[in-house]
Amino acid sequence: VRRGEVDAITFTSSSTVENFCDAVGPIVGAQPLVVSIGPVTSATAGARGLRVDAEADPHTIDGVVAALRSALATGPAGSLGA
């Protein structure tokens, strides 16, 4: 992540956001695309300083995959809250 070699990160729960942020620390520089499974997870990511680029709808693993594919096609310009 720190070397810019990751295209995207998906989060399926707030605990995965917390564990990722605790393990990696702040992301300095370009952030990979971030896709979350739903609004609670997105809020946790935002509170931890991550830009959420897409949110699954429906809030399922299939929804995460669809949101990831769409976000990779459009890039961070379609970020939530942008």
Side-chain angles (χ1 to χ4, degrees):
V1 171
R2 290 189 185 110
R3 291 191 305 238
E5 297 175 0
V6 175
D7 294 325
I9 304 168
T10 61
F11 293 111
T12 56
S13 68
S14 288
S15 64
T16 60
V17 173
E18 297 289 354
N19 291 330
F20 174 85
C21 290
D22 289 347
V24 174
I27 297 174
V28 178
Q31 175 190 291
L33 289 168
V34 171
V35 178
S36 102
I37 198 164
V40 173
T41 305
S42 293
T44 302
R48 290 299 299 255
L50 297 172
R51 176 197 70 239
V52 177
D53 298 293
E55 188 176 279
D57 183 20
H59 308 303
T60 63
I61 296 301
D62 288 342
V64 169
V65 172
L68 174 61
R69 290 181 64 159
S70 178
L72 286 171
T74 61
S79 301
L80 294 175

